[in-house]
Each structure stands twice: as structure tokens, then as C-alpha cells.
């Protein structure tokens, strides 16, 4: 269910020598794109006058292959209504190449490397696409945005140009069509047993200082238990990946799933090394205090998700990291069955030194790569129009999320509801049908991004309350473009992993007390010995070069 861990390596590879950002047409071809002169022969099935706000319907029946990530929560079925209705509406039949979730990235690499990849390669997280750029196996999709009016319209209206700059490569192009969000959607925070807080006369905490006080009060009442035992430390290189992601946000730093070695310091107007900043040290110091005072279970940083959940259900702990889906479907559902009177709530991310903020640049989601083979197809233009409609039009996004109005959902006054007898993410556990499992809608391969009106239509009451609080917060500045040239990128990649590993390993040592925080300066020296300064200098040099060349 969780995808955030795949976002942890947010390397920014931006434009070099391509200034036409506002036009969003890529380099070298003006409004017609780089290969425009050849596209006149590639219009089989295309619409003659396709524009924003218009449905796509192929003029001839077409079919395209698509790599399909098989989520075990809703395994791929060929009889889904999604496939049948998509063909009825668009004239396009998608031919899924199914790959299990656990093997997706590996299998994708093998298929692309062998030249056997499907035309459409969705569920790709930046910077995964970078590995396929030099071989020419995937298209520089920014060259073909003139074929995608819905994509261009959303970028312009939502002012997403800076975010797109962040995924451009050294040639000024980008090779991934990302999901586009109107607003930042926050995903994770702390969930607490509110019945226990009520019993102790405690209010829900709004700051991390208050979280500490709440945990201390719970510990005093239950001295043989840990107030907080956490999950999401497995299948990720970073311990307690969710906790550090949202706690780091309170300190204004990227940590956990969102960690990146390089961060933009808005005050200093330069790039710095994240794991060496004072804010990063303050974050670690806070967690160390919780662990030292036995307010956090030390197994939080190594245990499985099931072990963490079982401690919550067995009342060995009273708080845990959550997202809205696991809050309702897992914690609350099981607590209601096992613990009489138990109530649990996910709170807005507690505030810290950075104030009421969310991380910048979070309005892009995973996206679609296009195989270079697709450009040889005589229906290439129609395929790009189809991609634009399904993934980027309001109509296509609504279809991918909710399905067919009157069949799988109803809509009244802007409010969406599954039809009676159909459950959406546990909304009706006794319903005979499930929107994802039985119909194929709200499938992560196709349903992401969109207007806040549409994205929020999937929210249950808990998430509506959570997101209402989070959307009032300010977005931290997005890092400016700083494209690395190919030789620089090769050098940076050699430094990145040893530095990241040093940060990750020492984060765990510091919070568990296996290394005293008095050795912070020694830790910084170890990072410097692994080329910290050289990596930072490389990015700052690239930033200065870009400013000079592009104004």
C-alpha cells in the first residue's frame, strides 16, 4: 500500500540551456516539438482537433501495451469494468503486461533493457527514469507536450513549472510524465488512542513539545508499556521512515522516505548537505530524548509493520504512525473488535521549529514513461492524446478513480459516493463488491493526481479533517534548477550512496544511544571524508551555471 519509500531519492536534474519553460514544449522544436516533421505520418486513429476540455475518442480502434503493477490488495483481472468501459469511451484497448508489485522495478528494468517494454510504463517514481535516459530507451516526453493539452492546461493553471524544472535532465528535457496535483496532499502523521487521552484528561497534542508531554503522562500511568511503538522500518533503507518524514517536516528538513542528501537553504541561497544541518541534528536530538526516557519503543526502528500493529492492538502501546487508509481499515477496525471502547485518531502533523509548513515540491506524483519504440508507431499521436485524456483530463481522472456514474458511484452537489453494495477502501466492510478488487477503479496504475475537488472526493471523514488542517500550511520553497552535466552526474552518483548510508546508519545509532550526540562533530568529519563538500559544491556550481545561462 505504501509508495512513499520509493520517493526517498529526490535527485533534482534540471534544465541546461533550455529556457522555454512557460511554453512547456521542450527544446529544439518550438510548438511542434522535436520530431514534429515526422508526426504527420504517425496520426493513425488520432483526433484532428483535440483540445483541453474535450473527450478523446480514437477515429479508428487502437490498442496499446501497458506495464501493469499488480497490487496484491486488488490483483489484476481481465474482466474489470475498467477495461471494457475504457475501450467503449475511447476506442482504445489496453493490453496489460502484469508484473507483481514486489518485482516491478526489477522487471521494468529488464524489459526496458531488452527492448521488450510495453509502450506505456506507468507507476514510475522520479528519479527512476534517469537510469534509462542515456540508452535512448525512453522518450524525452517534454518534446511532445504539444500533443497533450490537458497536461499543459493543468501545469499552467496550477503554476507547476518549478516542479517540472526539478525533473529536467541535463539536456533540458524531462523523460517522465508525472502525476500533477493542484494542492499538496499530506499522507502521514501520528495516531493516538483518544480514549486513553480522555481518561488521563489530556488534549490532542498540536506541537512536538506537547507530544512529549502526552507521552510522559501515558508513561506515568502505564510505566511497564511504551506510549509509542512504530512501523514502516521494513523494506526501506531508512529506520522509522514515516515518522522521520513527518517529524522532519516540522524541522524543515527532508528525512525518512523524503530524505535527499542535497537540500536548498532559502536563507543562505545555496545548497547544503541535509544530514549535516543543525535542523537535522535537532530532529535526531528530539527522538533520542523520547527513546532515552522510554517513551518510544526502541524496536520501532527495526520491527515489522505487523509487530508494531499487534503492540497497538494488544495495548502494549497507545500511539503509532498512520495514514488515513490504515487508520480506518486496520487500526480502528481491529481495535473496535478487540478493545472495548477504544478510539483512535490521526492528528495533523504536530508543529515544530519550522512552524506551520509542508515540504515543497510535493505536488508531483509518480508518472508514466513512454518507450522509444512507441515513436515508430503510426498511431503515436493518438497514443499521446489518449495518455493526456486518461491521466490528465478531469473526465479521465474521474473515470480512473470512481468508474461509471450510476453504476459504481453517484454524485450529488459535488459529493461522490460508492453505489450501495460497493465498498471503497473499507467504507462498507460488509458490501459484496469492492471498487478496486471487483471493478478495477482507483487503481494506482491509472488513478493519481488531479484537482483538489476530485482528490478530496475519495476522503473519508478522518482524512477530510486531517487535510483541511494540512492544506492551510505554507509550502516550503522548491529548490531552484541546478542541472548536473552527464560527467558531473556520474561523479555525484558515486558519492551519493556512501554519504546516504552514513547518514542512515548514524541516525539509528544516535537515536538508540549507541553513539552519543556529543560525537556529532566526529560524524560530520566522517561525512566530509566521504566527499560531502565536493557533492555540495557540485550542485551549487550547477545552480550558478544555470542562473548565468538562463537569467
Amino acid at each position: 500500500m505504501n509508495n512513499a519509500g520509493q520517493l526517498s531519492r529526490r535527485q533534482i536534474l534540471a534544465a541546461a540551456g533550455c529556457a522555454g519553460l512557460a511554453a512547456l514544449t521542450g527544446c529544439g522544436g518550438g510548438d511542434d516539438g522535436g520530431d514534429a516533421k515526422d508526426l504527420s505520418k504517425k496520426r493513425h486513429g488520432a483526433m484532428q482537433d483535440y483540445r483541453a476540455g474535450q473527450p478523446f475518442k480514437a477515429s479508428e480502434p487502437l490498442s496499446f501495451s501497458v506495464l501493469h503493477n499488480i497490487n496484491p490488495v486488488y490483483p489484476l483481472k481481465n474482466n474489470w469494468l475498467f477495461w471494457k468501459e475504457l475501450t467503449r469511451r475511447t476506442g482504445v484497448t489496453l493490453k496489460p503486461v502484469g508484473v507483481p508489485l514486489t518485482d516491478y522495478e526489477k522487471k521494468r528494468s529488464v524489459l526496458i533493457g531488452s527492448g521488450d517494454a510495453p509502450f506505456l510504463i506507468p507507476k514510475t517514481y522520479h528519479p527512476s527514469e534517469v537510469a534509462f535516459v542515456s540508452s535512448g530507451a525512453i522518450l524525452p516526453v517534454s518534446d511532445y507536450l504539444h500533443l497533450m493539452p490537458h497536461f499543459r492546461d493543468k501545469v499552467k493553471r496550477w503554476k507547476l513549472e518549478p516542479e517540472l524544472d526539478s525533473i529536467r535532465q541535463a539536456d533540458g528535457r524531462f523523460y517522465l510524465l508525472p502525476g500533477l496535483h493542484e494542492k499538496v496532499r499530506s499522507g502521514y502523521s501520528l495516531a493516538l488512542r483518544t480514549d486513553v487521552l480522555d481518561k488521563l484528561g489530556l488534549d490532542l497534542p498540536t506541537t512536538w513539545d506537547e507530544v512529549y508531554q502526552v507521552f510522559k503522562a501515558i508513561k506515568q500511568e502505564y510505566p511497564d508499556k511504551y506510549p509509542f511503538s512504530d512501523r514502516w522500518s521494513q523494506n526501506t533503507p531508512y529506520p522509522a521512515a514515516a515518522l522521520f518524514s513527518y517529524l522532519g517536516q516540522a524541522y524543515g528538513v527532508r528525512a525518512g522516505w523524503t530524505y535527499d542528501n542535497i537540500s536548498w537553504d532559502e536563507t543562505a541561497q545555496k545548497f547544503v548537505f541535509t544530514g549535516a544541518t543543525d535542523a537535522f541534528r535537532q530532529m535526531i536530538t528530539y527522538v533520542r530524548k523520547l527513546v532515552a526516557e522510554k517513551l518510544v519503543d526502541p524496536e520501532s526502528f527495526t520491527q515489522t509493520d505487523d509487530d508494531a500493529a499487534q503492540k497497538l492492538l494488544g495495548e502494549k502501546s497507545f500511539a503509532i504512525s498512520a495514514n488515513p487508509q490504515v487508520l480506518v481499515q486496520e487500526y480502528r477496525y481491529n481495535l473496535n473488535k478487540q478493545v472495548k471502547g477504544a478510539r483512535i485518531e490521526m492528528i495533523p502533523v504536530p508543529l515544530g521549529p519550522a512552524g506551520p509548513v509542508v515540504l515543497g515540491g510535493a505536488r508531483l506524483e509518480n508518472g508514466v514513461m513512454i518507450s522509444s519504440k512507441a515513436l515508430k508507431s503510426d498511431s503515436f499521436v493518438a497514443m499521446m492524446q489518449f495518455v493526456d485524456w486518461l491521466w490528465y483530463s478531469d473526465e479521465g481522472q474521474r473515470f480512473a478513480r470512481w468508474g461509471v456514474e450510476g453504476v459504481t458511484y453517484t454524485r450529488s452537489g459535488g459529493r461522490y459516493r460508492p453505489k450501495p453494495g460497493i465498498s471503497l477502501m473499507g467504507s462498507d466492510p460488509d458490501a459484496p463488491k469492492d471498487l478496486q478488487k471487483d471493478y478495477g477503479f482507483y487503481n494506482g496504475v491509472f488513478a493519481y493526481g488531479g484537482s483538489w475537488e476530485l482528490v478530496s472526493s475519495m476522503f473519508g471523514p478522518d482524512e477530510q479533517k486531517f487535510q483541511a488542517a494540512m492544506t492551510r500550511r505554507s509550502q516550503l520553497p522548491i529548490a531552484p534548477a541546478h542541472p548536473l552535466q552527464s560527467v558531473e552526474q556520474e561523479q555525484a552518483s558515486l558519492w551519493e550512496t556512501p554519504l546516504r548510508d552514513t547518514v542512515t546508519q548514524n541516525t539509528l545509532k544516535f537515536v538508540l544511544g549507541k553513539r552519543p550526540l556529543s560525537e556529532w562533530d566526529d560524524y560530520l568529519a566522517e561525512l566530509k571524508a566521504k566527499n560531502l563538500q565536493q557533492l555540495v559544491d557540485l550542485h551549487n556550481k550547477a545552480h550558478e551555471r544555470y542562473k548565468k545561462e538562463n537569467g
Side-chain angles (χ1 to χ4, degrees):
M1 182 205 65
N2 162 57
N3 295 314
Q6 293 169 281
L7 291 171
S8 61
R9 297 201 63 175
R10 187 180 175 270
Q11 298 171 318
I12 298 181
L13 298 162
C18 176
L21 301 185
L24 293 170
T25 52
C27 302
D31 284 346
D32 293 328
D35 289 89
K37 62 179 179 294
D38 301 318
L39 297 185
S40 60
K41 299 177 182 178
K42 305 178 190 297
R43 298 189 61 89
H44 176 73
M47 290 180 62
Q48 293 301 313
D49 187 25
Y50 176 63
R51 58 190 182 275
Q54 183 178 17
F56 169 79
K57 185 65 180 280
S59 60
E60 300 283 345
L62 300 172
S63 66
F64 304 117
S65 56
V66 59
L67 197 62
H68 193 285
N69 181 335
I70 302 177
N71 192 314
V73 177
Y74 43 92
L76 174 65
K77 295 180 181 176
N78 291 324
N79 65 346
W80 275 341
L81 178 61
F82 173 85
W83 307 118
K84 181 180 178 181
E85 180 67 15
L86 184 69
T87 300
R88 189 189 73 79
R89 292 190 185 199
T90 67
V92 171
T93 300
L94 284 180
K95 296 181 177 178
V97 177
V99 177
L101 175 64
T102 52
D103 296 328
Y104 191 72
E105 295 206 10
K106 181 180 178 182
K107 181 68 172 177
R108 181 182 62 199
S109 295
V110 170
L111 288 170
I112 293 174
S114 65
D116 296 326
F119 279 11
L120 305 177
I121 312 169
K123 210 65 184 171
T124 298
Y125 291 83
H126 176 74
S128 299
E129 81 278 13
V130 176
F132 311 114
V133 170
S134 61
S135 68
I138 59 172
L139 284 182
V141 286
S142 56
D143 280 0
Y144 305 99
L145 297 184
H146 61 290
L147 303 175
M148 303 183 68
H150 291 102
F151 182 97
R152 296 199 319 272
D153 176 64
K154 283 181 166 53
V155 169
K156 183 179 180 181
R157 283 192 291 113
W158 298 343
K159 297 179 171 59
L160 284 162
E161 291 90 350
E163 280 91 339
L164 287 180
D165 282 353
S166 74
I167 65 169
R168 291 181 184 268
Q169 306 301 301
D171 60 3
R173 298 154 154 177
F174 54 86
Y175 290 73
L176 178 72
L177 290 167
L180 306 175
H181 280 270
E182 181 181 10
K183 295 183 180 180
V184 174
R185 178 184 180 181
S186 300
Y188 295 80
S189 189
L190 187 67
L192 299 107
R193 280 277 301 276
T194 50
D195 58 308
V196 173
L197 267 59
D198 289 347
K199 174 186 171 184
L200 300 178
L202 300 170
D203 294 327
L204 286 170
T206 60
T207 69
W208 284 104
D209 287 341
E210 290 176 4
V211 169
Y212 170 73
Q213 295 299 334
V214 166
F215 285 174
K216 282 199 66 163
I218 294 174
K219 184 68 175 179
Q220 190 171 353
E221 181 72 14
Y222 304 98
D224 59 337
K225 300 181 180 183
Y226 288 107
F228 180 43
S229 187
D230 210 18
R231 64 185 295 171
W232 287 312
S233 289
Q234 298 283 312
N235 301 317
T236 170
Y238 209 95
L243 169 64
F244 277 108
S245 292
Y246 61 81
L247 174 62
Q249 180 171 278
Y251 285 85
V253 294
R254 295 185 179 278
W257 279 319
T258 62
Y259 180 80
D260 191 0
N261 279 331
I262 298 297
S263 297
W264 176 248
D265 185 325
E266 180 71 9
T267 303
Q269 288 289 295
K270 66 179 182 180
F271 288 95
V272 295
F273 189 83
T274 310
T277 59
D278 191 55
F280 199 84
R281 181 188 61 78
Q282 290 177 33
M283 177 193 71
I284 288 176
T285 301
Y286 177 83
V287 180
R288 173 61 198 142
K289 180 171 71 169
L290 297 182
V291 174
E293 297 185 25
K294 295 183 169 52
L295 305 179
V296 172
D297 179 1
E299 292 182 357
S300 295
F301 306 95
T302 53
Q303 69 189 352
T304 66
D305 293 359
D306 284 345
D307 285 343
Q310 286 307 312
K311 288 176 181 178
L312 179 76
L313 299 176
E315 296 197 277
K316 295 178 180 178
S317 65
F318 304 96
I320 190 171
S321 288
N323 63 39
Q325 189 169 338
V326 300
L327 174 75
V328 175
Q329 291 184 243
E330 189 176 330
Y331 306 155
R332 187 173 292 157
Y333 178 76
N334 290 316
L335 275 170
N336 286 343
K337 291 197 299 183
Q338 292 183 221
V339 183
K340 185 178 180 180
R343 288 180 284 111
I344 189 166
E345 185 172 336
M346 177 173 149
I347 61 174
V349 175
L351 301 179
V357 299
V358 293
L359 293 174
R363 291 193 295 159
L364 299 189
E365 203 173 344
N366 68 83
V368 184
M369 294 188 293
I370 307 289
S371 170
S372 294
K373 293 189 305 180
L375 187 59
K376 299 174 183 177
S377 167
D378 65 357
S379 53
F380 174 76
V381 171
M383 185 194 75
M384 296 302 291
Q385 292 175 343
F386 167 77
V387 167
D388 179 66
W389 177 83
L390 177 58
W391 274 281
Y392 299 102
S393 75
D394 291 344
E395 183 189 14
Q397 291 174 334
R398 186 182 305 116
F399 166 73
R401 283 179 180 271
W402 282 103
V404 183
E405 189 167 3
V407 177
T408 57
Y409 76 98
T410 59
R411 182 167 57 137
S412 176
R415 185 169 182 183
Y416 296 72
R417 284 193 179 92
K419 286 277 286 185
I422 299 176
S423 181
L424 169 62
M425 296 184 295
S427 63
D428 182 359
D430 298 321
K433 295 288 186 179
D434 184 277
L435 189 69
Q436 294 172 303
K437 296 175 185 176
D438 298 303
Y439 295 96
F441 297 107
Y442 203 33
N443 180 338
V445 176
F446 305 106
Y448 47 76
S451 68
W452 189 248
E453 181 268 336
L454 180 62
V455 171
S456 63
S457 72
M458 314 296 294
F459 296 169
D462 289 280
E463 185 161 12
Q464 288 174 2
K465 184 178 177 182
F466 174 73
Q467 298 293 353
M470 296 303 295
T471 54
R472 289 196 291 268
R473 301 185 180 183
S474 302
Q475 188 176 193
L476 290 169
I478 298 168
H482 54 294
L484 298 183
Q485 296 171 349
S486 57
V487 174
E488 293 172 328
Q489 183 58 46
E490 289 173 15
Q491 182 60 72
S493 64
L494 296 175
W495 294 332
E496 284 273 3
T497 301
L499 284 165
R500 181 184 300 275
D501 290 347
T502 300
V503 172
T504 302
Q505 291 159 11
N506 281 281
T507 296
L508 189 56
K509 289 178 183 177
F510 283 132
V511 299
L512 292 177
K514 294 180 178 179
R515 184 172 192 179
L517 280 158
S518 58
E519 292 186 11
W520 183 262
D521 287 344
D522 296 330
Y523 156 72
L524 294 183
E526 291 159 19
L527 288 171
K528 288 175 182 175
K530 290 182 167 63
N531 303 295
L532 173 155
Q533 195 58 52
Q534 289 92 322
L535 181 66
V536 170
D537 290 345
L538 200 65
H539 283 273
N540 280 315
K541 176 185 171 186
H543 171 51
E544 291 301 321
R545 180 174 61 227
Y546 181 83
K547 279 203 304 183
K548 184 178 179 181
E549 292 176 355
N550 296 279

